[in-house]
Structure formats: C-alpha cells, structure tokens
Amino acid sequence: MHPLLTRVVRSGVVQVARQQWKLLARQLQVLRTSMNTTYPLPNFNLQLFFEDAIRWQNTLQRQGANIDLGHYYEFGVYTGTTMLTFARALRAASRTTRLARRVTLYAFDSFQGLPKAQSVYDQTPFWKQGQYACSQAEFLQILRSKGVNLNDVVCVPGYFEDSLTAELAVSLAKEPPSIITIDCDLYSSTITVLQWLRPLLRHGTLFYFDDIWSFLGHPEFGEWRAIQEFNAQGEGLLVEHHFSLGSKRVWVYTNPAASRSEVPV
C-alpha cells in the first residue's frame, strides 16, 4: 500500500477509535449520573412538561371535566431548581392561557438535607444523611432573586414522617394539588409522601418522579417500589402518563370510580 494511503487509513482508524471512546465515556458518565441523582433524560424537557400539564388541566376544568387546575406541591426542594422551573412554566402558560385560578407553590422539605436511611430499599452509596441541605431562608432567597413572588410560596418544614400529619392534610383539603413533584430520593420518604397524599388526590392529578431511574430502575428499590406499594393499597392507581414521553417520570393518579365524568387524555 502506498505510504500516503497507509497514513490516511491509520488516521481514519484512530479518529473512529477516538469517537468510539468518547461515546463510551459519555455513556458511562450518563450511567453513573443516573444512578446518583437527577440526570435529565434525553428528549424530556421539564419546563415544557409543566407548561403542557398546566394547560391540559386548565382546559379540562373550563370544559367541566372532573379535573381542576389545583396547586403545585413539591417534596424535596433543595435549592429550588425544579420549583423555579415550574414557576417559569406557570408564567409562560399564563401568557397564552387564561388560568382558572391562582396557583400556590407548596415546598415540603426538611431544609436539613436527607434523613437517615430507614430501609434496605433506601441503600445506595451515592446518598448520605444530611446531603442536599439548604436552609429555608436560603431557599426563599433564591426564589426571590429569580423573581418568584413569595406570597405564592408556602413552606412546610420538617422531615416528612413528622411534618406530614393528618391535621395538615385536613387543613389542605381545600388547597389540593394538581401537579406534584416527588424528589425525596429515598423509598421510605417517597412512600410516606404518597400515603399522606392519597386523601388529597383527585382523578387526573399529575406526578413528576425525579428519581425514578435511581437504582437503574430496579422495581424493588426507590420510587419504583413506593409506586407499586401505593398501587397495592387503597383506591386509585398511579399509571404512567403519555406526557412522560417514554421517560417513566410522569404519572397520573386515576380513580374513575370517584370521578364525575371520564377525563380525556
């Protein structure tokens, strides 16, 4: 083979090898991050989901279906990144849609970081007690600095097993959620939240599960296990909604037996 041709072939092989190595390194990074925390899955835009969810629920409410645009509940807020995303989506939706009500943003968090693991189904080398700590004052300051009206924000501080009381559920009965973010990482925290939420849920309430792919989606751990246990108890089911776009992160609470009319999807 001509020396020049040989160099060209070798150069091409090296370039392909480098590209393959970069691809493999990227895949390993994605795998490692997805096991850790909140890697945004490809083709899933959280703000667009929130906007679509707000408009969908608002339209159904105006059409008289058994679903209302309620309030936004977030469990595990850390420094407010997801809540800020929801606030932007709410502003964007309100510019093009006349909303049926003013939406309050409820922030449920210990503001002291993760609790101690309570179950073998919580065990992971990536999460430690006290991780993701952000004080309530710092959290509110971040929201304020980004233009969020704090009159629209309600903080419920405390570890969920202490703060999510029956009395609190009764007091929020007239302020139920229609969109809920679950970002409390651990199975034990997630099942505590879901069980407390059940009496507040209505047919068509949407859930965003931020950590559904922790434990690589193993059904016996993390949020997957909590969803299955929730569905095995009481009325209503959580099922994946088409807003999920295959990410498995968006679920809807469905309980047609308690609905006034069938809700279009």
Side-chain angles (χ1 to χ4, degrees), residues 42-45 48-57 60 67 204-208 238-254 263-265:
N43 303 320
F44 186 84
N45 185 304
L48 290 181
F49 155 64
F50 282 144
E51 290 182 33
D52 288 342
I54 292 165
R55 293 189 180 101
W56 178 69
Q57 292 178 334
L60 290 176
I67 184 170
T205 301
L206 289 169
F207 283 77
Y208 170 72
L238 287 172
V239 298
E240 187 181 1
H241 194 273
H242 61 74
F243 282 159
S244 187
L245 299 178
S247 71
K248 304 294 184 183
R249 288 188 165 193
V250 179
W251 297 62
V252 62
Y253 175 76
T254 175
V263 177
V265 295

Side-chain angles (χ1 to χ4, degrees), residues 74-79 107-114 132-134 136 155-160 163 183:
E74 185 173 327
F75 296 86
V77 298
Y78 190 29
T79 56
F108 300 81
D109 201 290
S110 70
F111 298 104
Q112 300 178 59
L114 292 177
Y132 305 127
C134 178
Q136 182 174 327
C155 290
V156 182
Y159 290 111
F160 299 141
S163 64
D183 190 7

Side-chain angles (χ1 to χ4, degrees), residues 64-67 201-204 235 253-264:
N66 183 34
I67 184 170
L201 298 179
R202 298 170 301 178
H203 189 49
E235 292 186 349
Y253 175 76
T254 175
N255 189 7
S259 67
R260 295 193 303 266
S261 60
E262 190 64 31
V263 177

